[in-house]
Amino acid sequence: MSLTTENIKIISFDVKDIRFPTSLEAHGSDAMHTDPDYSCAYVTIKLKTGLEGHGLTFTCGRGTEIVVAACKSLSDLIVGQVVSDIYKDFGGFWRSLTSESQLRWVGPEKGVIHLATAAIINALWDLWGKLLNKPVWQLLADLEPEQLVSTIDFRYLSNVITKEEAVELLRRGRVGKEERMNQLLALGYPAYTTQAGWLGYSDETIYDLANKYMEQGFNAFKVKVGKNLFQDIKRLELIRNTIGWDRILMVDANQIWEVQEAIDWMKQLSHFKILWIEEPTSPDDVLGHAEIAKALKPLGIGVATGEMCCNRVLFKQFLQANALEYCQIDSARIGGVNEILSVYLMCKKLGVKVCPHAGGVGLCEMVQHLQMWDYVALSGTMDGRFIEYVDQQHDQFVNPTIVENACYMAPRTPGYSTTLKPEAISAYENIP
Amino acid sequence: MSLTTENIKIISFDVKDIRFPTSLEAHGSDAMHTDPDYSCAYVTIKLKTGLEGHGLTFTCGRGTEIVVAACKSLSDLIVGQVVSDIYKDFGGFWRSLTSESQLRWVGPEKGVIHLATAAIINALWDLWGKLLNKPVWQLLADLEPEQLVSTIDFRYLSNVITKEEAVELLRRGRVGKEERMNQLLALGYPAYTTQAGWLGYSDETIYDLANKYMEQGFNAFKVKVGKNLFQDIKRLELIRNTIGWDRILMVDANQIWEVQEAIDWMKQLSHFKILWIEEPTSPDDVLGHAEIAKALKPLGIGVATGEMCCNRVLFKQFLQANALEYCQIDSARIGGVNEILSVYLMCKKLGVKVCPHAGGVGLCEMVQHLQMWDYVALSGTMDGRFIEYVDQQHDQFVNPTIVENACYMAPRTPGYSTTLKPEAISAYENIP
């Protein structure tokens, strides 16, 4: 870290409730979330020098005000801190937020308080990137293994991975790093789209959108299922007739089923050549997912989950129990970058592919950094992996995601790509 | 339900942030919560007739304001409802709260939003008891099996228990009900105390308190452990020397350990004849608890957990994985009475003992109703079961818990015993 960051204090903390009225057009509708207004709690952390870090957590409209309240409650732990002290022991600082002796009761490490933690931690990574003049994926890739590991709280993980093992994985991950970085900068990272398959869309819309995304080069499509078996079959027939049988198709039930119901329903859809079934049941049900994964494996269908997985301890168990084949980390559900790194490390150790959840507000902007770091400095491969892509709300950001030829292009600007345009804030801030 | 409740609407909803400054004397201190200020979010639901239901969720001081914000966000779903419609399909109403299409994102069914749900649902049970002129334990025991089951949302539970199986368990549970009710009214339900063993107490305080509670008839004691092995051994020696070897002793680590650490540490304490180790590691780690339970079983030590178990889906897995021997339901962590009933039913089916978590603010007042219902109308036994007892904040309630001869006496007044005295509210309300 540059010496100029020494002794610089955080002098202010601000959080805003930003809501985009997406429910008006059924964008983002699924079996559980019928009318989401894509929203976020948007945190600004300001240094004495005037430099600002921005972080956010995605929400669905109502409820954002609760996350905002939680951010405010945590802000006392942020303002007045010397920023270089945070980065010197980022793992320790992360624990001071998540284990605050009174606040932890209302989590611990889950739900509203953890969503708020994510927004704050994400802002601190954006700030760090800006201080070092690097996009976060590169900042991560350039950290020494010991430094990177020092940002992680390994509490409750030691029966699956230790700090020492993590350092070793990162050391090995560095081999060939420069070459991969060049390839990434030239070609980007593959994306798939969910855009053609929202539950609220008409057949015509689905057909048109699938064609539009094929023309843009997309070869992998995800479709929402789970409300009505007959309609699911119709929708999948339509999609397969449109995209053909060589392109990749995934389905997403958004937690609608019981365990056995998921198995039975998916058996009826298996002839559509489905790569994964996403969120077949409760996001908390590790053993249920394991049962489903076991039953669907012979049909060639993998289980994917993670966007609502509440923390690293749940992820650990999903991995231990062979309950998922595709690990869908989310950038703002668990406690920000630091905790997500621990999930990537466990996935690397146990040989599970990470395919991040994105969409919403700012999720694409953030997860691209994480997945690119993984490619450059940890797993070293894109094989069988892609990042979800939804073409919404990007124009609200100062440095939006750039997708070309169905690939996320590596961000070049410093930070975590999380800064909203001032005009987006003034147009969409929800003031009660 | 009496006809007079037909068409009566809920006309107002109020929530208050109440904090008792318990941290001043280290009451309630443990390995994770070093300075709790026992607090609650306190909900009042008022009918057009003027009748009020009161419900609360326990908190530790800071953070209560977030739960209060969540209660306010949920209040739109309460005010204006016809109260008899709620009780006619209480399970459906419960789902309408916990699955609200936008709000569920900030849970789902965990953390702040679920603590708020608990406070509201608990207030509705208090109100129901008052409407029917019955304490809640009796209300529950008098409901027909089909009626009781209709209050429960069985979503995600069907691979362990179905509605039909639950009805059958309740039918069988009714045999001998009158006799057990008479016994309960005469003798009460056994309690154990945590009062002598907080981590912040001196040896002298522990010795004096253990003697005090023995004189009151207590035969089961729980002690906090986990900060320092040497000190734990000293504390347990002191306790065993004071209470002797025929009384029951449990220890509680409040989530401080890694999985293997828990096993190793407890092996060092096993000669103290310990009934259970409570919360040995992360409350989310089902598989970790299963590993600990397996390792400690040969030493005669059971695993107990539940006070921070976030919902019925986690409880289901703890039960499926043989990860706990003592199920410590909490009255305000998962979504109130309705969801807790489903946990009791799973425990009954799988032969696991329920020993509720209590203490804090109002937890003793509430859990006594649940455990008494279980005795009268479901498990039909007190064998190996007791309710935690902590002698704090009871005098703040209009109808406090009454413990005689180390037994909770069955509440006689209508409702859920959750009404705070007006003077407690005015003295301890936290107004920002």
Side-chain angles (χ1 to χ4, degrees), chain A residues 212-225:
Chain A
K212 173 181 153 188
Y213 285 98
M214 278 193 291
E215 277 162 32
Q216 293 180 15
F218 280 90
N219 285 316
F221 294 80
K222 194 169 79 187
V223 173
K224 301 286 178 177
V225 294

Side-chain angles (χ1 to χ4, degrees), chain A residues 345-356:
Chain A
L345 286 159
M346 288 191 285
C347 285
K348 169 65 186 168
K349 185 178 167 190
L350 300 177
V352 168
K353 298 182 186 87
V354 179
C355 295

